[in-house]
Amino acid sequence: MIAENTPEENSKAKNKLKLFAKSLGLGIIEGGITAGIGFALLKLNVYAMFGILFLWLIFGWFSTYLISNNALEILTVMISGNVVASVIYYFGGISIWLFSILIGLSILFWIISFTTKILLFPSKKPQEENQPS
Protein backbone atom coordinates (compact mmCIF):
# COMPACT_ATOMS: atom_id res chain seq x y z
CA MET A 1 0.00 0.00 0.00
CA ILE A 2 1.11 3.51 -0.71
CA ALA A 3 0.71 5.92 2.14
CA GLU A 4 -0.86 9.21 1.10
CA ASN A 5 0.46 12.50 2.36
CA THR A 6 -1.61 14.18 4.98
CA PRO A 7 -2.40 17.90 4.75
CA GLU A 8 0.02 18.51 7.63
CA GLU A 9 2.88 16.83 5.75
CA ASN A 10 2.00 18.79 2.61
CA SER A 11 2.10 22.08 4.50
CA LYS A 12 5.48 21.18 6.03
CA ALA A 13 6.87 20.33 2.59
CA LYS A 14 5.55 23.59 1.12
CA ASN A 15 7.03 25.54 4.02
CA LYS A 16 10.44 23.89 3.52
CA LEU A 17 10.27 24.60 -0.21
CA LYS A 18 9.47 28.26 0.46
CA LEU A 19 12.38 28.54 2.90
CA PHE A 20 14.71 26.88 0.37
CA ALA A 21 13.60 29.21 -2.44
CA LYS A 22 13.96 32.25 -0.18
CA SER A 23 17.49 31.30 0.87
CA LEU A 24 18.45 30.44 -2.72
CA GLY A 25 17.24 33.81 -3.97
CA LEU A 26 18.96 35.62 -1.12
CA GLY A 27 22.24 33.85 -1.89
CA ILE A 28 22.01 34.70 -5.59
CA ILE A 29 21.29 38.36 -4.86
CA GLU A 30 24.05 38.66 -2.24
CA GLY A 31 26.55 36.80 -4.41
CA GLY A 32 25.79 39.01 -7.40
CA ILE A 33 26.03 42.24 -5.44
CA THR A 34 29.24 41.24 -3.72
CA ALA A 35 30.86 39.95 -6.90
CA GLY A 36 29.90 43.10 -8.80
CA ILE A 37 31.30 45.38 -6.13
CA GLY A 38 34.31 43.10 -5.74
CA PHE A 39 35.00 43.11 -9.46
CA ALA A 40 34.92 46.90 -9.50
CA LEU A 41 37.17 47.13 -6.44
CA LEU A 42 39.68 44.62 -7.80
CA LYS A 43 40.01 46.65 -10.98
CA LEU A 44 41.08 49.58 -8.81
CA ASN A 45 43.57 47.78 -6.59
CA VAL A 46 44.41 44.17 -5.67
CA TYR A 47 44.36 45.00 -1.97
CA ALA A 48 40.69 45.86 -2.25
CA MET A 49 40.14 42.14 -1.67
CA PHE A 50 39.90 42.95 2.03
CA GLY A 51 36.90 45.17 1.31
CA ILE A 52 35.24 42.29 -0.49
CA LEU A 53 35.73 40.02 2.52
CA PHE A 54 34.23 42.69 4.75
CA LEU A 55 31.20 42.76 2.42
CA TRP A 56 30.83 38.98 2.72
CA LEU A 57 30.95 39.27 6.52
CA ILE A 58 28.25 41.95 6.53
CA PHE A 59 26.05 40.01 4.11
CA GLY A 60 26.46 36.90 6.28
CA TRP A 61 25.25 38.84 9.32
CA PHE A 62 22.46 40.47 7.33
CA SER A 63 21.17 37.21 5.89
CA THR A 64 20.81 35.63 9.34
CA TYR A 65 18.05 38.12 10.04
CA LEU A 66 16.19 37.09 6.89
CA ILE A 67 16.48 33.31 7.11
CA SER A 68 16.02 30.78 9.86
CA ASN A 69 19.21 29.48 11.37
CA ASN A 70 18.99 25.91 10.15
CA ALA A 71 21.64 24.08 8.17
CA LEU A 72 19.66 23.76 4.92
CA GLU A 73 19.12 27.49 4.56
CA ILE A 74 22.63 28.49 5.64
CA LEU A 75 24.23 26.06 3.18
CA THR A 76 21.90 27.15 0.38
CA VAL A 77 22.75 30.81 0.88
CA MET A 78 26.48 30.09 1.06
CA ILE A 79 26.61 27.81 -1.95
CA SER A 80 24.37 29.88 -4.21
CA GLY A 81 26.18 33.10 -3.29
CA ASN A 82 29.59 31.61 -3.97
CA VAL A 83 28.54 29.98 -7.24
CA VAL A 84 27.16 33.28 -8.54
CA ALA A 85 30.27 35.13 -7.41
CA SER A 86 32.52 32.51 -9.04
CA VAL A 87 30.70 32.79 -12.35
CA ILE A 88 30.90 36.59 -12.31
CA TYR A 89 34.59 36.52 -11.39
CA TYR A 90 35.28 33.95 -14.12
CA PHE A 91 33.55 35.91 -16.85
CA GLY A 92 34.98 39.14 -15.49
CA GLY A 93 38.45 37.95 -16.34
CA ILE A 94 39.83 37.67 -12.82
CA SER A 95 42.62 35.10 -12.67
CA ILE A 96 41.70 31.71 -11.28
CA TRP A 97 44.19 31.77 -8.40
CA LEU A 98 42.73 35.06 -7.15
CA PHE A 99 39.08 34.15 -7.34
CA SER A 100 39.74 30.76 -5.72
CA ILE A 101 41.29 32.64 -2.81
CA LEU A 102 38.32 35.02 -2.75
CA ILE A 103 35.77 32.21 -2.77
CA GLY A 104 37.62 30.25 -0.08
CA LEU A 105 37.93 33.28 2.16
CA SER A 106 34.32 34.27 1.52
CA ILE A 107 33.19 30.83 2.70
CA LEU A 108 35.33 31.32 5.81
CA PHE A 109 33.79 34.74 6.43
CA TRP A 110 30.27 33.37 5.90
CA ILE A 111 30.96 30.68 8.47
CA ILE A 112 32.37 33.23 10.90
CA SER A 113 29.37 35.51 10.51
CA PHE A 114 26.82 32.71 10.87
CA THR A 115 28.49 31.11 13.88
CA THR A 116 29.00 34.40 15.68
CA LYS A 117 25.37 35.33 15.06
CA ILE A 118 24.16 31.96 16.30
CA LEU A 119 26.50 31.82 19.30
CA LEU A 120 26.31 35.45 20.41
CA PHE A 121 22.64 36.07 19.73
CA PRO A 122 20.71 32.81 20.07
CA SER A 123 17.03 32.90 19.16
CA LYS A 124 14.74 33.44 22.08
CA LYS A 125 12.30 30.56 22.41
CA PRO A 126 9.30 30.80 24.70
CA GLN A 127 9.89 29.00 27.93
CA GLU A 128 6.69 27.25 28.85
CA GLU A 129 8.21 25.49 31.85
CA ASN A 130 8.91 28.72 33.73
CA GLN A 131 5.44 30.16 33.12
CA PRO A 132 3.25 30.30 36.24
CA SER A 133 0.14 28.20 35.93
Coordinates of all heavy atoms in Angstrom, one line a residue, residues 15-83:
N15 N 6.3 24.6 3.2 CA 7.0 25.5 4.0 C 8.5 25.4 3.8 O 9.2 26.4 3.7 CB 6.7 25.4 5.5 CG 7.2 26.5 6.3 OD1 7.5 27.6 5.9 ND2 7.3 26.2 7.6
K16 N 9.0 24.1 3.8 CA 10.4 23.9 3.5 C 10.8 24.4 2.1 O 11.9 24.9 2.0 CB 10.8 22.4 3.7 CG 10.8 22.0 5.1 CD 11.3 20.5 5.2 CE 11.3 20.1 6.7 NZ 11.7 18.7 6.9
L17 N 10.0 24.2 1.1 CA 10.3 24.6 -0.2 C 10.3 26.1 -0.3 O 11.2 26.7 -1.0 CB 9.2 24.1 -1.2 CG 9.4 24.4 -2.6 CD1 10.7 23.7 -3.1 CD2 8.3 23.9 -3.5
K18 N 9.4 26.8 0.4 CA 9.5 28.3 0.5 C 10.8 28.8 1.1 O 11.4 29.7 0.6 CB 8.3 28.8 1.2 CG 7.0 28.7 0.5 CD 5.8 29.3 1.3 CE 4.5 29.1 0.6 NZ 3.4 29.6 1.4
L19 N 11.1 28.1 2.2 CA 12.4 28.5 2.9 C 13.6 28.3 2.0 O 14.5 29.1 2.0 CB 12.5 27.8 4.2 CG 11.5 28.1 5.3 CD1 11.7 27.2 6.5 CD2 11.6 29.6 5.7
F20 N 13.6 27.2 1.3 CA 14.7 26.9 0.4 C 14.8 27.9 -0.8 O 15.8 28.4 -1.1 CB 14.6 25.5 -0.2 CG 15.6 25.1 -1.2 CD1 16.9 24.8 -0.8 CD2 15.3 25.1 -2.5 CE1 17.9 24.4 -1.7 CE2 16.3 24.8 -3.5 CZ 17.6 24.4 -3.0
A21 N 13.6 28.2 -1.3 CA 13.6 29.2 -2.4 C 14.0 30.6 -1.9 O 14.7 31.3 -2.6 CB 12.2 29.3 -3.0
K22 N 13.6 30.9 -0.8 CA 14.0 32.2 -0.2 C 15.5 32.3 0.0 O 16.1 33.3 -0.3 CB 13.2 32.4 1.1 CG 13.5 33.7 1.9 CD 12.6 33.7 3.1 CE 13.2 34.6 4.2 NZ 12.4 34.6 5.4
S23 N 16.0 31.3 0.6 CA 17.5 31.3 0.9 C 18.3 31.2 -0.4 O 19.3 31.8 -0.5 CB 17.9 30.2 1.8 OG 17.5 28.9 1.3
L24 N 17.8 30.5 -1.4 CA 18.5 30.4 -2.7 C 18.5 31.8 -3.4 O 19.5 32.3 -3.9 CB 17.8 29.4 -3.6 CG 18.4 29.2 -5.0 CD1 19.7 28.5 -4.9 CD2 17.5 28.4 -5.8
G25 N 17.3 32.5 -3.4 CA 17.2 33.8 -4.0 C 18.1 34.8 -3.2 O 18.8 35.6 -3.8
L26 N 18.1 34.7 -1.9 CA 19.0 35.6 -1.1 C 20.4 35.4 -1.4 O 21.2 36.4 -1.6 CB 18.7 35.4 0.4 CG 19.4 36.3 1.3 CD1 18.9 37.7 1.2 CD2 19.1 35.9 2.8
G27 N 20.8 34.1 -1.6 CA 22.2 33.8 -1.9 C 22.6 34.4 -3.3 O 23.7 34.9 -3.5
I28 N 21.7 34.2 -4.2 CA 22.0 34.7 -5.6 C 22.1 36.2 -5.6 O 23.1 36.8 -6.2 CB 20.9 34.2 -6.6 CG1 21.0 32.7 -6.8 CG2 21.0 35.0 -7.9 CD1 19.9 32.1 -7.5
I29 N 21.2 36.9 -4.9 CA 21.3 38.4 -4.9 C 22.6 38.8 -4.2 O 23.3 39.7 -4.6 CB 20.0 38.9 -4.2 CG1 18.8 38.7 -5.1 CG2 20.2 40.4 -3.9 CD1 17.5 39.0 -4.4
E30 N 22.9 38.2 -3.0 CA 24.0 38.7 -2.2 C 25.3 38.3 -3.0 O 26.3 39.1 -3.0 CB 24.1 38.0 -0.9 CG 23.0 38.6 0.1 CD 23.1 37.9 1.4 OE1 23.8 36.9 1.6 OE2 22.3 38.3 2.3
G31 N 25.4 37.2 -3.6 CA 26.6 36.8 -4.4 C 26.8 37.7 -5.6 O 27.9 38.1 -5.9
G32 N 25.7 38.1 -6.3 CA 25.8 39.0 -7.4 C 26.2 40.4 -7.0 O 27.1 41.0 -7.6
I33 N 25.7 40.9 -5.9 CA 26.0 42.2 -5.4 C 27.5 42.3 -5.0 O 28.3 43.1 -5.4 CB 25.1 42.7 -4.3 CG1 23.7 43.0 -4.8 CG2 25.7 43.9 -3.6 CD1 22.7 43.2 -3.7
T34 N 27.9 41.3 -4.2 CA 29.2 41.2 -3.7 C 30.2 41.0 -4.8 O 31.3 41.7 -4.9 CB 29.4 40.1 -2.7 OG1 28.4 40.3 -1.7 CG2 30.8 40.2 -2.0
A35 N 29.9 40.2 -5.8 CA 30.9 39.9 -6.9 C 31.0 41.2 -7.8 O 32.0 41.5 -8.3 CB 30.4 38.8 -7.7
G36 N 29.8 41.9 -8.0 CA 29.9 43.1 -8.8 C 30.7 44.2 -8.1 O 31.6 44.8 -8.8
I37 N 30.5 44.4 -6.9 CA 31.3 45.4 -6.1 C 32.8 44.9 -6.0 O 33.7 45.7 -6.2 CB 30.7 45.6 -4.7 CG1 29.3 46.3 -4.8 CG2 31.6 46.5 -3.9 CD1 28.6 46.4 -3.5
G38 N 33.0 43.6 -5.8 CA 34.3 43.1 -5.7 C 35.1 43.2 -7.0 O 36.2 43.5 -7.1
F39 N 34.4 43.0 -8.2 CA 35.0 43.1 -9.5 C 35.4 44.5 -9.7 O 36.6 44.8 -10.2 CB 34.0 42.7 -10.6 CG 34.6 42.7 -11.9 CD1 35.6 41.8 -12.3 CD2 34.2 43.7 -12.8 CE1 36.1 41.9 -13.6 CE2 34.7 43.8 -14.1 CZ 35.7 42.9 -14.5
A40 N 34.6 45.5 -9.3 CA 34.9 46.9 -9.5 C 36.1 47.3 -8.6 O 37.0 48.0 -9.0 CB 33.7 47.8 -9.2
L41 N 36.1 46.8 -7.4 CA 37.2 47.1 -6.4 C 38.5 46.5 -6.9 O 39.6 47.1 -6.7 CB 36.8 46.7 -5.0 CG 35.8 47.5 -4.3 CD1 35.4 46.8 -2.9 CD2 36.2 48.9 -4.1
L42 N 38.4 45.3 -7.4 CA 39.7 44.6 -7.8 C 40.3 45.3 -9.0 O 41.5 45.2 -9.3 CB 39.4 43.1 -8.1 CG 39.4 42.3 -6.8 CD1 39.0 40.9 -7.1 CD2 40.7 42.3 -6.1
K43 N 39.5 45.9 -9.8 CA 40.0 46.6 -11.0 C 40.8 47.9 -10.5 O 41.7 48.4 -11.2 CB 38.9 47.0 -12.0 CG 38.3 45.8 -12.7 CD 39.4 45.2 -13.5 CE 38.9 44.0 -14.2 NZ 39.9 43.3 -15.0
L44 N 40.4 48.4 -9.4 CA 41.1 49.6 -8.8 C 42.4 49.2 -8.2 O 43.4 49.8 -8.5 CB 40.2 50.3 -7.8 CG 38.9 51.0 -8.3 CD1 38.1 51.5 -7.1 CD2 39.3 52.1 -9.2
N45 N 42.4 48.2 -7.3 CA 43.6 47.8 -6.6 C 43.4 46.3 -6.1 O 42.3 45.9 -5.7 CB 43.8 48.7 -5.4 CG 45.2 48.6 -4.8 OD1 45.9 47.6 -5.0 ND2 45.5 49.5 -4.0
V46 N 44.5 45.6 -6.1 CA 44.4 44.2 -5.7 C 44.1 44.1 -4.2 O 43.5 43.1 -3.7 CB 45.7 43.4 -6.0 CG1 45.7 42.0 -5.5 CG2 46.0 43.5 -7.5
Y47 N 44.6 45.0 -3.4 CA 44.4 45.0 -2.0 C 42.9 45.3 -1.6 O 42.6 45.3 -0.4 CB 45.3 46.0 -1.3 CG 46.8 45.5 -1.4 CD1 47.6 46.3 -2.2 CD2 47.2 44.4 -0.9 CE1 49.0 45.8 -2.4 CE2 48.5 43.9 -1.0 CZ 49.4 44.7 -1.8 OH 50.7 44.3 -2.0
A48 N 42.1 45.6 -2.5 CA 40.7 45.9 -2.2 C 40.0 44.6 -1.9 O 38.8 44.6 -1.5 CB 40.0 46.5 -3.4
M49 N 40.7 43.4 -2.0 CA 40.1 42.1 -1.7 C 39.7 42.1 -0.2 O 38.7 41.5 0.1 CB 41.2 41.1 -1.9 CG 40.7 39.7 -1.5 SD 42.0 38.4 -1.8 CE 43.2 38.8 -0.7
F50 N 40.3 42.9 0.6 CA 39.9 43.0 2.0 C 38.5 43.6 2.2 O 37.8 43.3 3.0 CB 41.0 43.7 2.9 CG 42.3 43.0 2.9 CD1 43.4 43.5 2.3 CD2 42.4 41.7 3.5 CE1 44.6 42.9 2.2 CE2 43.6 41.0 3.5 CZ 44.7 41.6 2.9
G51 N 38.2 44.6 1.3 CA 36.9 45.2 1.3 C 35.8 44.2 0.9 O 34.7 44.2 1.4
I52 N 36.2 43.3 0.0 CA 35.2 42.3 -0.5 C 34.9 41.3 0.7 O 33.8 40.9 0.9 CB 35.8 41.5 -1.7 CG1 36.0 42.5 -2.9 CG2 34.9 40.4 -2.1 CD1 36.9 41.9 -4.0
L53 N 35.9 40.9 1.4 CA 35.7 40.0 2.5 C 34.9 40.7 3.6 O 34.0 40.0 4.2 CB 37.1 39.6 3.1 CG 37.9 38.8 2.1 CD1 39.3 38.4 2.7 CD2 37.2 37.5 1.6
F54 N 35.1 42.0 3.8 CA 34.2 42.7 4.7 C 32.8 42.7 4.3 O 31.8 42.5 5.1 CB 34.8 44.1 4.9 CG 34.0 44.9 5.9 CD1 34.1 44.7 7.2 CD2 33.2 46.0 5.5 CE1 33.4 45.4 8.2 CE2 32.5 46.8 6.4 CZ 32.6 46.5 7.7
L55 N 32.6 42.8 3.0 CA 31.2 42.8 2.4 C 30.6 41.4 2.7 O 29.4 41.3 3.0 CB 31.2 43.1 0.9 CG 31.4 44.5 0.5 CD1 31.6 44.6 -1.0 CD2 30.3 45.4 1.0
W56 N 31.4 40.3 2.5 CA 30.8 39.0 2.7 C 30.4 38.8 4.2 O 29.4 38.2 4.5 CB 31.9 37.9 2.3 CG 31.9 37.6 0.9 CD1 32.9 37.9 0.0 CD2 30.9 36.9 0.1 NE1 32.6 37.4 -1.2 CE2 31.4 36.9 -1.2 CE3 29.6 36.4 0.4 CZ2 30.6 36.3 -2.2 CZ3 28.9 35.8 -0.6 CH2 29.4 35.8 -1.9
L57 N 31.3 39.4 5.1 CA 31.0 39.3 6.5 C 29.7 40.0 6.8 O 28.8 39.5 7.6 CB 32.1 39.8 7.3 CG 32.1 39.7 8.8 CD1 32.1 38.2 9.2 CD2 33.2 40.4 9.5
I58 N 29.5 41.2 6.3 CA 28.3 42.0 6.5 C 27.0 41.2 5.9 O 26.0 41.2 6.6 CB 28.4 43.4 6.0 CG1 29.4 44.1 6.9 CG2 27.1 44.1 5.9 CD1 29.5 45.6 6.5
F59 N 27.2 40.7 4.7 CA 26.1 40.0 4.1 C 25.7 38.7 4.9 O 24.6 38.3 5.0 CB 26.3 39.7 2.6 CG 26.0 40.8 1.7 CD1 26.8 41.1 0.6 CD2 24.8 41.5 1.8 CE1 26.5 42.1 -0.2 CE2 24.5 42.5 1.0 CZ 25.3 42.8 -0.1
G60 N 26.7 38.1 5.5 CA 26.5 36.9 6.3 C 25.7 37.3 7.5 O 24.7 36.6 7.9
W61 N 26.0 38.4 8.2 CA 25.2 38.8 9.3 C 23.8 39.3 8.9 O 22.9 39.0 9.6 CB 26.0 40.0 10.0 CG 26.9 39.6 11.0 CD1 28.1 39.0 10.9 CD2 26.7 39.7 12.4 NE1 28.7 38.7 12.1 CE2 27.9 39.1 13.0 CE3 25.7 40.1 13.2 CZ2 28.0 39.0 14.4 CZ3 25.8 40.0 14.6 CH2 26.9 39.5 15.2
F62 N 23.7 40.0 7.8 CA 22.5 40.5 7.3 C 21.5 39.3 7.0 O 20.3 39.4 7.3 CB 22.7 41.4 6.1 CG 21.4 41.9 5.5 CD1 20.6 42.8 6.2 CD2 21.0 41.5 4.3 CE1 19.5 43.3 5.6 CE2 19.9 41.9 3.7 CZ 19.1 42.9 4.4
S63 N 22.0 38.3 6.3 CA 21.2 37.2 5.9 C 20.7 36.4 7.0 O 19.6 35.7 6.9 CB 21.9 36.3 4.9 OG 23.0 35.8 5.4
T64 N 21.3 36.4 8.2 CA 20.8 35.6 9.3 C 19.5 36.2 9.9 O 18.7 35.6 10.5 CB 21.8 35.5 10.5 OG1 22.2 36.9 10.8 CG2 23.0 34.7 10.1
Y65 N 19.3 37.5 9.6 CA 18.1 38.1 10.0 C 16.9 37.8 9.1 O 15.7 37.9 9.5 CB 18.2 39.6 10.1 CG 19.1 40.1 11.2 CD1 20.3 40.6 11.0 CD2 18.6 40.0 12.6 CE1 21.2 41.0 12.1 CE2 19.4 40.4 13.6 CZ 20.7 40.9 13.3 OH 21.5 41.3 14.4
L66 N 17.2 37.4 7.9 CA 16.2 37.1 6.9 C 15.8 35.6 6.8 O 14.8 35.3 6.2 CB 16.6 37.6 5.5 CG 16.9 39.1 5.4 CD1 17.4 39.5 4.1 CD2 15.6 39.9 5.8
I67 N 16.7 34.7 7.2 CA 16.5 33.3 7.1 C 16.5 32.7 8.5 O 17.0 33.3 9.5 CB 17.5 32.6 6.2 CG1 18.9 32.7 6.8 CG2 17.5 33.1 4.8 CD1 20.0 31.9 6.1
S68 N 15.9 31.5 8.6 CA 16.0 30.8 9.9 C 17.4 30.2 10.0 O 18.1 30.0 9.0 CB 15.0 29.6 9.9 OG 13.7 30.1 9.7
N69 N 17.9 30.0 11.2 CA 19.2 29.5 11.4 C 19.2 28.0 11.4 O 19.6 27.3 12.4 CB 19.8 30.0 12.7 CG 20.1 31.5 12.6 OD1 20.4 32.0 11.5 ND2 20.0 32.2 13.7
N70 N 18.8 27.4 10.3 CA 19.0 25.9 10.2 C 20.0 25.6 9.0 O 20.2 26.4 8.2 CB 17.7 25.2 10.0 CG 16.9 25.6 8.7 OD1 17.5 26.0 7.7 ND2 15.6 25.5 8.8
A71 N 20.5 24.4 9.1 CA 21.6 24.1 8.2 C 21.3 24.1 6.7 O 22.1 24.6 5.9 CB 22.2 22.7 8.5
L72 N 20.1 23.7 6.3 CA 19.7 23.8 4.9 C 19.7 25.2 4.3 O 20.2 25.4 3.3 CB 18.3 23.2 4.8 CG 17.7 23.2 3.4 CD1 18.4 22.3 2.4 CD2 16.2 22.9 3.4
E73 N 19.2 26.1 5.1 CA 19.1 27.5 4.6 C 20.5 28.1 4.6 O 20.9 28.8 3.6 CB 18.2 28.3 5.4 CG 16.7 27.9 5.2 CD 15.8 28.8 5.9 OE1 15.7 30.0 5.5 OE2 15.2 28.4 6.9
I74 N 21.3 27.9 5.6 CA 22.6 28.5 5.6 C 23.5 27.9 4.5 O 24.2 28.7 3.8 CB 23.3 28.2 7.0 CG1 22.5 29.0 8.1 CG2 24.7 28.6 7.0 CD1 23.0 28.7 9.5
L75 N 23.5 26.6 4.3 CA 24.2 26.1 3.2 C 23.7 26.5 1.8 O 24.5 26.8 0.9 CB 24.2 24.5 3.3 CG 25.0 23.9 4.4 CD1 24.8 22.4 4.4 CD2 26.5 24.2 4.2
T76 N 22.4 26.7 1.7 CA 21.9 27.1 0.4 C 22.3 28.6 0.1 O 22.8 28.9 -1.0 CB 20.4 27.1 0.4 OG1 20.0 25.7 0.7 CG2 19.8 27.4 -0.9
V77 N 22.3 29.4 1.1 CA 22.7 30.8 0.9 C 24.2 30.8 0.6 O 24.7 31.5 -0.4 CB 22.4 31.7 2.1 CG1 23.1 33.0 2.0 CG2 21.0 31.9 2.3
M78 N 25.0 30.1 1.3 CA 26.5 30.1 1.1 C 26.8 29.6 -0.3 O 27.6 30.2 -1.0 CB 27.2 29.3 2.1 CG 27.3 29.9 3.5 SD 28.1 28.9 4.7 CE 29.6 28.4 4.0
I79 N 26.3 28.4 -0.7 CA 26.6 27.8 -2.0 C 26.1 28.6 -3.1 O 26.9 28.9 -4.1 CB 26.1 26.4 -2.0 CG1 26.8 25.5 -1.0 CG2 26.2 25.8 -3.4 CD1 26.2 24.1 -0.8
S80 N 24.9 29.1 -3.1 CA 24.4 29.9 -4.2 C 25.1 31.2 -4.3 O 25.4 31.6 -5.5 CB 22.9 30.1 -4.1 OG 22.6 30.8 -2.9
G81 N 25.4 31.8 -3.2 CA 26.2 33.1 -3.3 C 27.6 32.9 -3.9 O 28.0 33.7 -4.7
N82 N 28.2 31.9 -3.5 CA 29.6 31.6 -4.0 C 29.6 31.1 -5.4 O 30.5 31.5 -6.2 CB 30.3 30.6 -3.1 CG 30.8 31.3 -1.8 OD1 31.3 32.3 -1.8 ND2 30.5 30.6 -0.7
V83 N 28.6 30.4 -5.8 CA 28.5 30.0 -7.2 C 28.3 31.2 -8.1 O 29.0 31.3 -9.2 CB 27.4 28.9 -7.4 CG1 27.1 28.7 -8.9 CG2 27.8 27.6 -6.8

